Amino acid sequence: LPASDRSPMMSRAAVMRSLIFSTPRHLLRIPSVRSASSASATSTPSAVMSSGFSVTSSPSSPTAFVGDVLVIGAFADAIDADSFAVSDATLKEISSSMTAGVLEEIIVEEEFKAEPGSSVRARGTAGTAKTVCIVGMGKASDATPAAFRKLGEAAAAEAKKGKPVSVGVAVANAATPPSAKEADAITTGLSLGAFSDERFKDPKKRKPFTVEKIELL
């Protein structure tokens, strides 16, 4: 969108809509994902297909996930603000069973406080996720749909770092799977995070979003 035509107060969403309607679709990668909560409530897990990947709502525990990347949203309450010791049972189990305790060590070493936008990651052990990433969501008392949307965006950003096919997303010490409102927000974030304007990129340098399946755990 030309700078002369762009209002200084124009939102990111408005800019994206302008790009979408003014750009040939084959030059934009826009996963048109429907909310996972819109699938039939009688079928669990429920799958929702998009033009690029499916979003599945599953009652499975995050520790049961086997795939390329597992992204866990963590509230600040799950980690001691002074010692950085993990107090949340879900995070402790994930660290122990999926990274042999390495994730907790990294949290302490990097003084991870689960502040919004912060993240830590570790390689998963054999038979689990290849990469386990913890994304900070701030204080649980301040949680809004925006916090869950940002978790979805962070999951998509993590997926762009490699060429994963399967991604799991969950929130520590929360309902399994996420509630309908939370699932909607996460799915919106995934769609926004997967968006890429490649109009001006050399075809040889374009990086496709390789994810085919995302599970909300």
Side-chain angles (χ1 to χ4, degrees):
L1 186 66
S4 60
D5 295 337
R6 187 186 308 150
S7 166
M9 299 300 292
M10 183 176 286
S11 67
R12 179 185 177 190
V15 172
M16 287 179 63
R17 284 196 296 271
S18 298
L19 286 170
I20 291 170
F21 288 115
S22 64
T23 306
R25 191 169 183 82
H26 71 281
L27 292 181
L28 291 176
R29 290 193 285 106
I30 311 170
S32 54
V33 186
R34 287 194 297 118
S35 166
S37 63
S38 64
S40 171
T42 59
S43 58
T44 303
S46 55
V48 181
M49 297 302 297
S50 75
S51 59
F53 54 82
S54 67
V55 178
T56 303
S57 181
S58 170
S60 300
S61 166
T63 55
F65 177 78
V66 177
D68 295 312
V69 180
L70 176 63
V71 178
I72 305 293
F75 292 111
D77 317 62
I79 299 171
D80 185 270
D82 297 317
S83 66
F84 306 103
V86 175
S87 58
D88 179 77
T90 302
L91 286 184
K92 290 180 75 68
E93 184 180 3
I94 289 172
S95 176
S96 174
S97 65
M98 303 185 78
T99 71
V102 173
L103 191 57
E104 284 188 83
E105 294 178 6
I106 293 176
I107 287 174
V108 174
E109 289 174 2
E110 298 192 11
E111 299 185 347
F112 179 69
K113 298 181 180 180
E115 296 176 337
S118 62
S119 64
V120 292
R121 60 193 51 76
R123 294 291 296 176
T125 54
T128 64
K130 293 179 181 178
T131 301
V132 179
C133 176
I134 308 297
V135 175
M137 297 180 68
K139 294 182 178 180
S141 58
D142 298 334
T144 64
F148 290 89
R149 189 196 72 232
K150 290 179 181 178
L151 172 61
E153 291 185 31
E158 189 67 24
K160 287 181 176 180
K161 293 179 180 179
K163 295 182 179 180
V165 174
S166 58
V167 175
V169 183
V171 178
N173 195 25
T176 303
S179 68
K181 184 179 292 186
E182 294 167 354
D184 282 343
I186 293 172
T187 304
T188 297
L190 287 166
S191 184
L192 289 172
F195 169 83
S196 180
D197 180 6
E198 299 185 332
R199 294 175 299 166
F200 307 111
K201 285 186 178 180
D202 185 315
K204 296 181 180 179
K205 296 182 179 180
R206 291 174 185 167
K207 186 177 180 181
F209 192 69
T210 58
V211 177
E212 297 177 0
K213 180 181 180 181
I214 295 176
E215 290 185 61
L216 303 185
L217 305 163

